[in-house]
Amino acid sequence: TQLLEQSPQFLSIQEGENLTVYCNSSSVFSSLQWYRQEPGEGPVLLVTVVTGGEVKKLKRLTFQFGDARKDSSLHITAAQPGDTGLYLCAGAGVGSNFGNEKLTFGTGTRLTIIP
Amino acid sequence: EAQVTQNPRYLITVTGKKLTVTCSQNMNHEYMSWYRQDPGLGLRQIYYSMNVEVTDKGDVPEGYKVSRKEKRNFPLILESPSPNQTSLYFCASSLWAGQGGNSPLHFGNGTRLTVT
């Protein structure tokens, strides 16, 4: 079983600050997805990164896939209260035949932005 | 509105009393899956289905059953619930299983189950 560890597990910062959360594994993934989950709701996909070294931006959120496709990071600039939530990474196993049936989720980072 | 609908949202039951959590999607998705979410453990896959009448075990299938008689529905059955099945459960679907993350998952809003 492939494992994905996220750090930090909890993060509480003031509005306007920058932050980075990490998603690490010893396994190689064909792609890496990031989800955000708000209380009482299911996870919602934010982005998928596929190529090693790939960087994608979603407004103030920047996602990067590691060169070796074993890790990823999410950087938030000028955090806002609306960014509060549980952030989950999910890795798709290596192998051309693998898809969502082999998706491994990380342990999550619970982010709180204080107004 | 495209969505995955789970029922009930909350359920408290006693050990051994059979229960079913329903899941329905209106997006004509082929792939459906059940997860449980526990603190510090993330989302763990219970069962998944690639299409009608095609189901397979995920990482934590013990104590659960599923069926996929119709494309839109994928119920989760606990024949004899135990306290260690107390958890937050999510159903998810995607157009197909996809490869390399090219078929995003759509999640329901969860079912919080407590087994006493």
Side-chain angles (χ1 to χ4, degrees):
Chain A
T1 302
Q2 299 170 309
L3 294 175
L4 271 171
E5 294 199 8
Q6 291 185 238
S7 62
Q9 191 174 355
F10 299 94
L11 182 58
S12 183
I13 64 170
Q14 295 286 335
E15 181 177 357
E17 293 184 356
N18 302 332
L19 67 105
T20 302
V21 300
Y22 300 93
C23 174
N24 295 299
S25 176
S26 58
S27 304
V28 177
F29 293 99
S30 62
S31 67
L32 209 296
Q33 303 171 22
W34 283 92
Y35 292 80
R36 180 168 66 210
Q37 183 180 4
E38 299 187 19
E41 298 182 8
V44 175
L45 181 69
L46 296 173
V47 77
T48 302
V49 286
V50 180
T51 308
E54 182 177 3
V55 176
K56 279 192 174 178
K57 292 192 174 185
L58 187 66
K59 297 183 181 178
R60 293 175 294 98
L61 278 62
T62 302
F63 304 85
Q64 183 163 7
F65 202 10
D67 290 340
R69 291 185 291 139
K70 292 183 179 181
D71 54 81
S72 181
S73 63
L74 158 59
H75 182 79
I76 301 179
T77 303
Q80 298 178 3
D83 296 327
T84 292
L86 178 67
Y87 288 81
L88 296 164
C89 61
V94 172
S96 60
N97 294 325
F98 291 153
N100 291 335
E101 75 274 25
K102 295 295 184 186
L103 203 61
T104 300
F105 280 85
T107 48
T109 293
R110 191 166 295 280
L111 176 63
T112 303
I113 309 301
I114 304 165
Chain B
E1 180 189 352
Q3 59 186 0
V4 178
T5 303
Q6 294 179 229
N7 280 297
R9 290 295 306 273
Y10 301 92
L11 180 59
I12 301 174
T13 190
V14 296
T15 299
K17 186 175 181 182
K18 181 179 178 180
L19 66 92
T20 299
V21 183
T22 64
C23 174
S24 180
Q25 50 90 8
N26 61 0
M27 297 169 279
N28 201 35
H29 283 175
E30 289 187 355
Y31 178 82
M32 297 185 76
S33 183
W34 276 103
Y35 293 89
R36 60 178 290 173
Q37 186 174 39
D38 301 289
L41 296 176
L43 283 162
R44 293 181 293 167
Q45 189 179 57
I46 302 171
Y47 269 93
Y48 64 90
S49 170
M50 301 290 267
N51 213 325
V52 175
E53 301 291 4
V54 181
T55 63
D56 211 341
K57 296 177 181 179
D59 296 320
V60 288
E62 293 78 18
Y64 304 94
K65 285 175 56 177
V66 292
S67 68
R68 188 91 182 274
K69 294 184 172 60
E70 309 164 278
K71 199 170 189 178
R72 63 183 294 127
N73 296 322
F74 190 43
L76 179 69
I77 303 154
L78 284 73
E79 294 272 4
S80 182
S82 62
N84 65 11
Q85 293 178 297
T86 292
S87 186
L88 180 59
Y89 291 86
F90 286 99
C91 179
S93 72
S94 60
L95 187 60
W96 60 308
Q99 293 171 3
N102 63 3
S103 186
L105 283 171
H106 298 256
F107 284 85
N109 283 334
T111 295
R112 187 167 292 282
L113 172 66
T114 302
V115 183
T116 61

